[in-house]
Amino acid sequence: MTQAQASFAWSRDDQLFLRFLLRSLQQHKSNQLDPYQVGRNTLMKAILPRGPEVTDSLIHELMIKLRTIAPWQDLHALSPVLNPTGDFETPFPLEAQGKAILSQSSSPKPIAGAVLGPLDLRPSDPLDSVRHDFGDLRVFVIDDPTAQELDDGVSVERIPSEPENHWVHIHVADPARILHPGHALCHLARKQFSSFYFGPANYPMFPKALMHDPKFGLSLTDSSMTEEPNRVLTFSIKLDGQANILDYKLRAGILRNVRKTSYQDVDLALGYSTPQKGYPFGGSDAINPGPPLNDSDVADLRILQKLADDQVLKRFRQGIFSPIQGNARVEWKTTPPINIRSPSLQGSVFQGFPEMEYVVSANDIEDCGSHNLVSEMMKLASRVASRVALDNNVPIIRRALDPSIFASEVDVDELLKLRTPHGYIAGKEFVKICAFSTSGRYTLLPKQHAHIGIPEGEGYSRATSPLRRYLDLVSHWQLHHILLGPNAPPRPPFGVDELEKLAVEAEIQEPLIRRMHKANDYFYALMYIKRFAADTAMGVERPFGDPLASVKAWTMQLPKKNPENKMDVKVYLPDLGIQAHMPDLPAELHDMPLGTNLQVKIKTIEMGLRRTRLVMDLAQDLSTIG
């Protein structure tokens, strides 16, 4: 992939209009007037006097043809969330802002009673005197090989006098030992609220320079790579052989034997097969093993995996289940060189295109083996966080979820027979019987979390990703207050009123963050499909068949009228792992029940942010639908 100056250069006035069109591609609330609509329609009529209807897809295509953005440009990276100033020429503006703040930050000399300013790092570790040294205890940090924000590690402690019982320790990075709530980086983190993981690039909540700083590094580090121990908050929980919690405790910890490994390496060591993902356009799972785990490592991991499986089995016996949710993502085998700048407001010629692979997976596939091990340990840590806060009467934000509501005629016993061993039910069956699927919410009360099997009165407070989620960092500041014991100030950093405001913020921010991640996956999935279909239309041979010639689908909802007053239905394409729309249904299909099987084909692909969608046509005779 290369970038060269175009044979022309856009003037300052031209660039003003180009900036306007780029900004017009951003999302806005559907119940608000689009502030860009009139202006962009006027511009587009001047550029394309006899052009088609002005849509995001048309403007996206025009920006590419005007040499303003690369064909692979991530439009989400230009959004106000990640580019609040609208500066399209500075790469990673939030990262640049964070690095500038970090360069001005320093640790003042410790002075009793001193108030820390917005550029002051903590002068010393406030929990240094109470940290528990875990010595040679093996701690496993299990993540993807390319992960840079390493939040957590796990370890197991045998109890010789109680061979059926074990202590499990979840060790979590401790940024609160460096950052106080009033630091400018924390104010920036509150605005961003979370790290973002998009196809071509990641956008961490804190600057990478701080994450891996030799002195202040926040991310956990393999002990073979550093002489400094890792300082953590450790959530410990004592379990018996039936997944029951016998005891728990919270400590500030010091780790001296941290081993970084990957999900794949743990699965290989424990004898689990790699999750069977789908590659509808060709490809396969790459196996790139890291350094082998030794016998002692494997022995510890087997115990941890057994304890994790016990938690899953307990929920299964409680009758808890979840729908299988498929997903598609594009894996970037190559990424654009860092010297390529897109957008290019002066105009550039972009050559080449990233190598991508289209992958279909699902939550039931990913929730097994080492992924399940880590997931279950993090759930246990979140239970400890809530319990410890309750015991010490310190307010903390919790996550709650009520049970789903099902149609009255549903036979629950028959429904439970449809579950997989991990408690999943096929999505097509779930939509048929679920009358109302509840959403999670934030509360300061210890409410139930039905999906995880946490009862009323216990609560669930996420505290395992303080480098990636702002609310988790807030929980750490509250837990620090508890660990300080008699040396703690009279009140915790956040009172009830402030936490309630934060909970409201989270109810707004987190759905937006989830939608952005899903939309980014969908954007690149459709980009891949569109290029594949265009190549096929130009005569590229498909010796193993064309997966887009006729696509399986099933209806996710009952047909209903869309804003154009035509009958529309949303469908799921299981082989492609994505949703699509079928507008303007023939009258014979207006009464289709949920879960109806169809064969469909692509009609149009609309790129953009506000209206990224795949539109399908029926690819079978009406008489064959039943």
Side-chain angles (χ1 to χ4, degrees), residues 65-297:
K65 290 181 177 179
L66 292 178
R67 312 290 193 183
T68 303
I69 60 174
W72 59 82
Q73 173 67 51
D74 183 359
L75 296 183
H76 290 91
L78 309 181
S79 70
V81 174
L82 299 177
N83 190 352
T85 63
D87 180 0
F88 296 131
E89 294 176 292
T90 301
F92 304 102
L94 283 180
E95 175 77 9
Q97 187 178 355
K99 286 176 68 176
I101 293 172
L102 181 60
S103 68
Q104 301 173 55
S105 299
S106 62
S107 297
K109 292 182 179 180
I111 301 175
V115 177
L116 296 177
L119 295 176
D120 291 333
L121 301 173
R122 291 197 191 274
S124 61
D125 179 359
L127 299 179
D128 187 59
S129 64
V130 296
R131 288 196 181 274
H132 174 78
D133 194 328
F134 284 88
D136 290 332
L137 183 72
R138 276 184 298 273
V139 177
F140 302 97
V141 175
I142 307 170
D143 214 319
D144 291 320
T146 58
Q148 296 182 343
E149 302 159 282
L150 302 177
D151 284 289
D152 51 75
V154 295
S155 62
V156 64
E157 184 180 343
R158 297 163 179 81
I159 307 173
S161 60
E162 304 173 43
E164 294 300 315
N165 303 331
H166 296 85
W167 276 101
V168 170
H169 308 294
I170 300 92
H171 312 277
V172 181
D174 185 12
R177 68 186 171 86
I178 300 293
L179 297 168
H180 61 90
H183 195 279
L185 284 175
C186 297
H187 288 296
L188 194 63
R190 181 168 181 171
K191 290 179 182 178
Q192 185 171 330
F193 220 73
S194 170
S195 295
F196 288 83
Y197 303 94
F198 291 160
N202 296 334
Y203 302 84
M205 193 170 70
F206 290 111
K208 295 174 184 176
L210 178 60
M211 204 72 64
H212 304 287
D213 183 272
K215 181 179 179 182
F216 300 117
L218 304 183
S219 178
L220 298 185
T221 306
D222 191 302
S223 295
S224 66
M225 305 295 291
T226 179
E227 296 181 357
E228 288 293 317
N230 287 272
R231 287 172 169 78
V232 295
L233 291 192
T234 296
F235 302 81
S236 300
I237 194 160
K238 184 180 180 182
L239 299 168
D240 66 12
Q242 288 76 46
N244 297 310
I245 297 174
L246 305 179
D247 199 359
Y248 57 90
K249 63 179 87 168
L250 171 72
R251 287 172 288 183
I254 295 175
L255 308 180
R256 303 184 185 276
N257 188 12
V258 174
R259 172 73 184 274
K260 182 180 182 294
T261 186
S262 70
Y263 292 114
Q264 189 179 74
D265 287 341
V266 173
D267 285 339
L268 289 172
L270 297 181
Y272 290 105
S273 59
T274 304
Q276 297 302 303
K277 302 170 186 173
Y279 294 85
F281 302 98
S284 61
D285 286 323
I287 299 178
N288 301 305
L293 296 159
N294 61 40
D295 291 344
S296 297
D297 294 336

Side-chain angles (χ1 to χ4, degrees), residues 302-535:
R302 288 198 187 283
I303 295 174
L304 287 166
Q305 185 67 68
K306 195 269 179 186
L307 295 172
D309 291 341
D310 288 347
Q311 296 296 316
V312 174
L313 181 58
K314 184 175 183 178
R315 289 199 298 274
F316 189 91
R317 288 171 175 165
Q318 291 173 335
I320 295 171
F321 58 87
S322 301
I324 294 176
Q325 297 176 332
N327 61 77
R329 71 177 186 276
V330 169
E331 292 186 351
W332 293 59
K333 298 300 182 182
T334 59
T335 54
I338 59 174
N339 63 331
I340 288 183
R341 293 288 181 261
S342 175
S344 172
L345 294 175
Q346 291 187 345
S348 290
V349 177
F350 298 95
Q351 297 285 352
F353 198 83
E355 181 186 352
M356 299 176 173
E357 196 167 60
Y358 192 105
V359 184
V360 178
S361 188
N363 52 353
D364 66 318
I365 294 174
E366 296 171 354
D367 190 17
C368 61
S370 58
H371 281 85
N372 178 61
L373 185 161
V374 173
S375 175
E376 293 302 323
M377 295 301 113
M378 299 309 112
K379 292 170 187 171
L380 288 171
S382 299
R383 298 177 74 170
V384 172
S386 177
R387 288 182 174 212
V388 168
L390 272 176
D391 294 343
N392 290 274
N393 197 29
V394 169
I396 200 167
I397 295 177
R398 298 175 171 87
R399 188 77 173 155
L401 181 69
D402 295 324
S404 296
I405 299 171
F406 297 96
S408 57
E409 67 274 12
V410 171
D411 186 329
V412 175
D413 291 335
E414 290 300 315
L415 182 65
L416 295 180
K417 292 178 183 178
L418 300 175
R419 291 180 299 170
T420 68
H422 274 222
Y424 286 95
I425 291 177
K428 184 164 71 171
E429 300 304 320
F430 187 83
V431 299
K432 292 178 183 178
I433 53 89
C434 184
F436 180 72
S437 184
T438 57
S439 299
R441 67 186 190 280
Y442 286 101
T443 175
L444 272 61
L445 302 175
K447 308 295 288 185
Q448 71 166 329
H449 195 301
H451 175 68
I452 305 175
I454 294 175
E456 190 85 9
E458 178 179 341
Y460 180 81
S461 182
R462 294 194 301 191
T464 58
S465 294
L467 306 182
R468 295 182 279 184
R469 294 191 299 245
Y470 181 73
L471 281 193
D472 291 42
L473 177 56
V474 171
S475 293
H476 273 231
W477 282 318
Q478 299 295 89
L479 296 173
H480 261 240
H481 181 82
I482 294 171
L483 291 170
L484 285 169
N487 296 322
R491 290 182 295 276
F494 293 84
V496 170
D497 289 346
E498 180 65 16
L499 289 178
E500 287 178 342
K501 290 178 184 176
L502 265 172
V504 172
E505 281 184 42
E507 297 284 4
I508 298 170
Q509 293 273 34
E510 292 218 347
L512 170 65
I513 292 165
R514 285 196 300 271
R515 284 197 300 270
M516 284 187 68
H517 279 98
K518 290 180 67 174
N520 192 259
D521 286 341
Y522 193 55
F523 178 83
Y524 280 108
L526 293 195
M527 180 182 287
Y528 188 103
I529 291 171
K530 188 173 184 177
R531 288 177 60 83
F532 186 94
D535 288 346

